[in-house]
mmCIF file of all heavy atoms in Angstrom:
data_model
loop_
_atom_site.group_PDB
_atom_site.id
_atom_site.type_symbol
_atom_site.label_atom_id
_atom_site.label_comp_id
_atom_site.label_asym_id
_atom_site.label_seq_id
_atom_site.Cartn_x
_atom_site.Cartn_y
_atom_site.Cartn_z
ATOM 1 N N THR A 1089 56.045 15.926 110.332
ATOM 2 C CA THR A 1089 56.855 17.134 110.231
ATOM 3 C C THR A 1089 57.587 17.134 108.892
ATOM 4 O O THR A 1089 57.235 16.378 107.979
ATOM 5 C CB THR A 1089 57.821 17.248 111.427
ATOM 6 O OG1 THR A 1089 58.458 18.536 111.406
ATOM 7 C CG2 THR A 1089 58.866 16.149 111.420
ATOM 8 N N THR A 1090 58.609 17.990 108.758
ATOM 9 C CA THR A 1090 59.322 18.129 107.493
ATOM 10 C C THR A 1090 60.795 17.778 107.653
ATOM 11 O O THR A 1090 61.325 17.712 108.765
ATOM 12 C CB THR A 1090 59.226 19.573 106.961
ATOM 13 O OG1 THR A 1090 59.946 20.452 107.855
ATOM 14 C CG2 THR A 1090 57.779 20.032 106.857
ATOM 15 N N ALA A 1091 61.461 17.608 106.520
ATOM 16 C CA ALA A 1091 62.889 17.305 106.525
ATOM 17 C C ALA A 1091 63.718 18.495 106.982
ATOM 18 O O ALA A 1091 64.910 18.339 107.286
ATOM 19 C CB ALA A 1091 63.330 16.865 105.132
ATOM 20 N N ALA A 1092 63.119 19.681 107.059
ATOM 21 C CA ALA A 1092 63.821 20.868 107.541
ATOM 22 C C ALA A 1092 63.757 20.987 109.054
ATOM 23 O O ALA A 1092 64.068 22.038 109.607
ATOM 24 C CB ALA A 1092 63.224 22.120 106.898
ATOM 25 N N ASN A 1093 63.351 19.928 109.725
ATOM 26 C CA ASN A 1093 63.293 19.860 111.187
ATOM 27 C C ASN A 1093 64.328 18.835 111.637
ATOM 28 O O ASN A 1093 64.306 17.677 111.197
ATOM 29 C CB ASN A 1093 61.886 19.438 111.623
ATOM 30 C CG ASN A 1093 61.706 19.395 113.132
ATOM 31 O OD1 ASN A 1093 62.655 19.566 113.893
ATOM 32 N ND2 ASN A 1093 60.490 19.149 113.565
ATOM 33 N N GLY A 1094 65.254 19.235 112.532
ATOM 34 C CA GLY A 1094 66.282 18.320 112.992
ATOM 35 C C GLY A 1094 65.738 17.051 113.608
ATOM 36 O O GLY A 1094 66.404 16.005 113.584
ATOM 37 N N VAL A 1095 64.535 17.092 114.172
ATOM 38 C CA VAL A 1095 63.928 15.894 114.750
ATOM 39 C C VAL A 1095 63.757 14.805 113.694
ATOM 40 O O VAL A 1095 63.823 13.610 113.997
ATOM 41 C CB VAL A 1095 62.570 16.238 115.401
ATOM 42 C CG1 VAL A 1095 61.791 14.977 115.757
ATOM 43 C CG2 VAL A 1095 62.781 17.068 116.653
ATOM 44 N N ALA A 1096 63.551 15.206 112.439
ATOM 45 C CA ALA A 1096 63.290 14.236 111.378
ATOM 46 C C ALA A 1096 64.435 13.251 111.217
ATOM 47 O O ALA A 1096 64.218 12.101 110.817
ATOM 48 C CB ALA A 1096 63.027 14.964 110.060
ATOM 49 N N GLU A 1097 65.660 13.678 111.539
ATOM 50 C CA GLU A 1097 66.801 12.781 111.336
ATOM 51 C C GLU A 1097 66.883 11.670 112.372
ATOM 52 O O GLU A 1097 67.646 10.716 112.177
ATOM 53 C CB GLU A 1097 68.104 13.596 111.310
ATOM 54 C CG GLU A 1097 68.493 14.255 112.599
ATOM 55 C CD GLU A 1097 69.576 15.310 112.411
ATOM 56 O OE1 GLU A 1097 69.549 16.027 111.382
ATOM 57 O OE2 GLU A 1097 70.458 15.421 113.276
ATOM 58 N N VAL A 1098 66.120 11.761 113.455
ATOM 59 C CA VAL A 1098 66.113 10.677 114.444
ATOM 60 C C VAL A 1098 64.824 9.856 114.360
ATOM 61 O O VAL A 1098 64.689 8.848 115.054
ATOM 62 C CB VAL A 1098 66.301 11.225 115.875
ATOM 63 C CG1 VAL A 1098 67.574 12.035 115.972
ATOM 64 C CG2 VAL A 1098 65.101 12.033 116.342
ATOM 65 N N MET A 1099 63.874 10.284 113.548
ATOM 66 C CA MET A 1099 62.614 9.569 113.379
ATOM 67 C C MET A 1099 62.727 8.517 112.276
ATOM 68 O O MET A 1099 63.510 8.672 111.342
ATOM 69 C CB MET A 1099 61.482 10.539 113.014
ATOM 70 C CG MET A 1099 61.038 11.474 114.114
ATOM 71 S SD MET A 1099 59.841 12.698 113.497
ATOM 72 C CE MET A 1099 58.616 11.657 112.684
ATOM 73 N N GLN A 1100 61.935 7.489 112.373
ATOM 74 C CA GLN A 1100 61.781 6.510 111.303
ATOM 75 C C GLN A 1100 60.395 6.690 110.699
ATOM 76 O O GLN A 1100 59.389 6.365 111.335
ATOM 77 C CB GLN A 1100 61.952 5.081 111.830
ATOM 78 C CG GLN A 1100 61.898 4.033 110.728
ATOM 79 C CD GLN A 1100 62.136 2.629 111.247
ATOM 80 O OE1 GLN A 1100 62.625 2.449 112.363
ATOM 81 N NE2 GLN A 1100 61.783 1.622 110.453
ATOM 82 N N PRO A 1101 60.313 7.230 109.473
ATOM 83 C CA PRO A 1101 58.999 7.433 108.849
ATOM 84 C C PRO A 1101 58.217 6.134 108.780
ATOM 85 O O PRO A 1101 58.755 5.067 108.493
ATOM 86 C CB PRO A 1101 59.357 7.948 107.448
ATOM 87 C CG PRO A 1101 60.711 8.573 107.613
ATOM 88 C CD PRO A 1101 61.413 7.719 108.628
ATOM 89 N N GLY A 1102 56.933 6.242 109.073
ATOM 90 C CA GLY A 1102 56.080 5.078 109.100
ATOM 91 C C GLY A 1102 56.035 4.393 110.444
ATOM 92 O O GLY A 1102 55.141 3.580 110.697
ATOM 93 N N VAL A 1103 56.991 4.717 111.311
ATOM 94 C CA VAL A 1103 57.044 4.137 112.660
ATOM 95 C C VAL A 1103 56.728 5.183 113.711
ATOM 96 O O VAL A 1103 55.916 4.969 114.605
ATOM 97 C CB VAL A 1103 58.425 3.503 112.938
ATOM 98 C CG1 VAL A 1103 58.501 2.985 114.375
ATOM 99 C CG2 VAL A 1103 58.703 2.372 111.946
ATOM 100 N N HIS A 1104 57.378 6.341 113.595
ATOM 101 C CA HIS A 1104 57.194 7.427 114.559
ATOM 102 C C HIS A 1104 56.363 8.571 113.988
ATOM 103 O O HIS A 1104 56.203 9.593 114.658
ATOM 104 C CB HIS A 1104 58.556 7.969 115.003
ATOM 105 C CG HIS A 1104 59.484 6.909 115.503
ATOM 106 N ND1 HIS A 1104 60.643 6.570 114.843
ATOM 107 C CD2 HIS A 1104 59.411 6.113 116.600
ATOM 108 C CE1 HIS A 1104 61.257 5.602 115.511
ATOM 109 N NE2 HIS A 1104 60.532 5.306 116.567
ATOM 110 N N GLY A 1105 55.867 8.416 112.780
ATOM 111 C CA GLY A 1105 55.121 9.470 112.102
ATOM 112 C C GLY A 1105 55.539 9.524 110.651
ATOM 113 O O GLY A 1105 55.897 8.509 110.054
ATOM 114 N N GLU A 1106 55.533 10.730 110.076
ATOM 115 C CA GLU A 1106 55.922 10.903 108.680
ATOM 116 C C GLU A 1106 56.782 12.151 108.534
ATOM 117 O O GLU A 1106 56.652 13.105 109.314
ATOM 118 C CB GLU A 1106 54.687 11.041 107.783
ATOM 119 C CG GLU A 1106 53.738 9.850 107.803
ATOM 120 C CD GLU A 1106 54.338 8.600 107.190
ATOM 121 O OE1 GLU A 1106 55.345 8.698 106.449
ATOM 122 O OE2 GLU A 1106 53.802 7.507 107.451
ATOM 123 N N VAL A 1107 57.650 12.146 107.520
ATOM 124 C CA VAL A 1107 58.510 13.286 107.207
ATOM 125 C C VAL A 1107 58.230 13.719 105.773
ATOM 126 O O VAL A 1107 58.408 12.929 104.836
ATOM 127 C CB VAL A 1107 59.998 12.930 107.376
ATOM 128 C CG1 VAL A 1107 60.873 14.121 106.964
ATOM 129 C CG2 VAL A 1107 60.290 12.522 108.813
ATOM 130 N N VAL A 1108 57.769 14.948 105.617
ATOM 131 C CA VAL A 1108 57.470 15.521 104.309
ATOM 132 C C VAL A 1108 58.660 16.371 103.872
ATOM 133 O O VAL A 1108 59.229 17.121 104.683
ATOM 134 C CB VAL A 1108 56.190 16.373 104.377
ATOM 135 C CG1 VAL A 1108 55.884 17.018 103.035
ATOM 136 C CG2 VAL A 1108 55.013 15.522 104.837
ATOM 137 N N THR A 1109 59.046 16.260 102.620
ATOM 138 C CA THR A 1109 60.237 16.982 102.149
ATOM 139 C C THR A 1109 60.045 18.485 102.196
ATOM 140 O O THR A 1109 60.908 19.225 102.692
ATOM 141 C CB THR A 1109 60.580 16.546 100.709
ATOM 142 O OG1 THR A 1109 60.807 15.137 100.692
ATOM 143 C CG2 THR A 1109 61.832 17.261 100.212
ATOM 144 N N ASN A 1110 58.916 18.976 101.725
ATOM 145 C CA ASN A 1110 58.681 20.411 101.584
ATOM 146 C C ASN A 1110 57.402 20.800 102.318
ATOM 147 O O ASN A 1110 56.339 20.213 102.061
ATOM 148 C CB ASN A 1110 58.579 20.781 100.096
ATOM 149 C CG ASN A 1110 58.460 22.271 99.846
ATOM 150 O OD1 ASN A 1110 58.310 23.059 100.785
ATOM 151 N ND2 ASN A 1110 58.536 22.666 98.596
ATOM 152 N N ALA A 1111 57.490 21.779 103.185
ATOM 153 C CA ALA A 1111 56.318 22.209 103.950
ATOM 154 C C ALA A 1111 55.188 22.682 103.051
ATOM 155 O O ALA A 1111 54.009 22.519 103.382
ATOM 156 C CB ALA A 1111 56.711 23.326 104.916
ATOM 157 N N ALA A 1112 55.533 23.281 101.908
ATOM 158 C CA ALA A 1112 54.518 23.837 101.007
ATOM 159 C C ALA A 1112 53.840 22.769 100.158
ATOM 160 O O ALA A 1112 52.887 23.081 99.429
ATOM 161 C CB ALA A 1112 55.154 24.886 100.097
ATOM 162 N N ASP A 1113 54.286 21.524 100.237
ATOM 163 C CA ASP A 1113 53.655 20.442 99.485
ATOM 164 C C ASP A 1113 52.421 19.973 100.264
ATOM 165 O O ASP A 1113 52.441 18.946 100.946
ATOM 166 C CB ASP A 1113 54.660 19.301 99.290
ATOM 167 C CG ASP A 1113 54.134 18.208 98.357
ATOM 168 O OD1 ASP A 1113 52.932 18.249 98.007
ATOM 169 O OD2 ASP A 1113 54.921 17.314 97.995
ATOM 170 N N VAL A 1114 51.357 20.743 100.155
ATOM 171 C CA VAL A 1114 50.158 20.492 100.951
ATOM 172 C C VAL A 1114 49.514 19.148 100.628
ATOM 173 O O VAL A 1114 49.084 18.432 101.549
ATOM 174 C CB VAL A 1114 49.154 21.651 100.790
ATOM 175 C CG1 VAL A 1114 47.841 21.342 101.505
ATOM 176 C CG2 VAL A 1114 49.764 22.942 101.352
ATOM 177 N N PRO A 1115 49.416 18.727 99.360
ATOM 178 C CA PRO A 1115 48.846 17.395 99.095
ATOM 179 C C PRO A 1115 49.626 16.274 99.786
ATOM 180 O O PRO A 1115 49.021 15.344 100.327
ATOM 181 C CB PRO A 1115 48.914 17.285 97.570
ATOM 182 C CG PRO A 1115 48.872 18.693 97.092
ATOM 183 C CD PRO A 1115 49.641 19.474 98.102
ATOM 184 N N ARG A 1116 50.960 16.365 99.766
ATOM 185 C CA ARG A 1116 51.759 15.343 100.439
ATOM 186 C C ARG A 1116 51.561 15.421 101.947
ATOM 187 O O ARG A 1116 51.505 14.394 102.633
ATOM 188 C CB ARG A 1116 53.248 15.552 100.102
ATOM 189 C CG ARG A 1116 54.187 14.587 100.799
ATOM 190 C CD ARG A 1116 54.035 13.171 100.294
ATOM 191 N NE ARG A 1116 54.863 12.243 101.039
ATOM 192 C CZ ARG A 1116 54.487 11.594 102.119
ATOM 193 N NH1 ARG A 1116 53.249 11.761 102.588
ATOM 194 N NH2 ARG A 1116 55.296 10.761 102.736
ATOM 195 N N LEU A 1117 51.449 16.606 102.478
ATOM 196 C CA LEU A 1117 51.218 16.774 103.913
ATOM 197 C C LEU A 1117 49.863 16.198 104.305
ATOM 198 O O LEU A 1117 49.743 15.483 105.315
ATOM 199 C CB LEU A 1117 51.298 18.252 104.276
ATOM 200 C CG LEU A 1117 51.060 18.626 105.747
ATOM 201 C CD1 LEU A 1117 52.085 17.956 106.657
ATOM 202 C CD2 LEU A 1117 51.101 20.140 105.922
ATOM 203 N N ALA A 1118 48.840 16.484 103.512
ATOM 204 C CA ALA A 1118 47.509 15.956 103.804
ATOM 205 C C ALA A 1118 47.504 14.432 103.731
ATOM 206 O O ALA A 1118 46.863 13.762 104.553
ATOM 207 C CB ALA A 1118 46.494 16.540 102.815
ATOM 208 N N SER A 1119 48.233 13.881 102.765
ATOM 209 C CA SER A 1119 48.327 12.426 102.646
ATOM 210 C C SER A 1119 49.017 11.819 103.863
ATOM 211 O O SER A 1119 48.601 10.764 104.354
ATOM 212 C CB SER A 1119 49.087 12.067 101.369
ATOM 213 O OG SER A 1119 49.288 10.673 101.265
ATOM 214 N N ALA A 1120 50.068 12.491 104.363
ATOM 215 C CA ALA A 1120 50.775 11.994 105.547
ATOM 216 C C ALA A 1120 49.864 12.006 106.769
ATOM 217 O O ALA A 1120 49.879 11.075 107.586
ATOM 218 C CB ALA A 1120 52.022 12.839 105.795
ATOM 219 N N LEU A 1121 49.066 13.055 106.902
ATOM 220 C CA LEU A 1121 48.127 13.118 108.024
ATOM 221 C C LEU A 1121 47.055 12.038 107.905
ATOM 222 O O LEU A 1121 46.716 11.366 108.883
ATOM 223 C CB LEU A 1121 47.472 14.504 108.073
ATOM 224 C CG LEU A 1121 48.377 15.682 108.427
ATOM 225 C CD1 LEU A 1121 47.633 16.997 108.251
ATOM 226 C CD2 LEU A 1121 48.896 15.550 109.857
ATOM 227 N N ALA A 1122 46.524 11.854 106.690
ATOM 228 C CA ALA A 1122 45.471 10.865 106.478
ATOM 229 C C ALA A 1122 45.949 9.462 106.831
ATOM 230 O O ALA A 1122 45.168 8.636 107.330
ATOM 231 C CB ALA A 1122 45.001 10.923 105.025
#
């Protein structure tokens, strides 16, 4: 998900998933999914 989602503040990136700063940053989003 993104940092603009309140859930992101309770998640630990790399443990519960990934947090992308900007939704429109598609390369970063694709990398997080990969």
Side-chain angles (χ1 to χ4, degrees):
T1089 189
T1090 67
N1093 182 354
V1095 169
E1097 67 194 37
V1098 304
M1099 290 173 52
Q1100 184 177 344
V1103 176
H1104 307 114
E1106 300 293 342
V1107 177
V1108 178
T1109 301
N1110 185 352
D1113 187 351
V1114 174
R1116 177 69 184 90
L1117 179 60
S1119 176
L1121 293 172

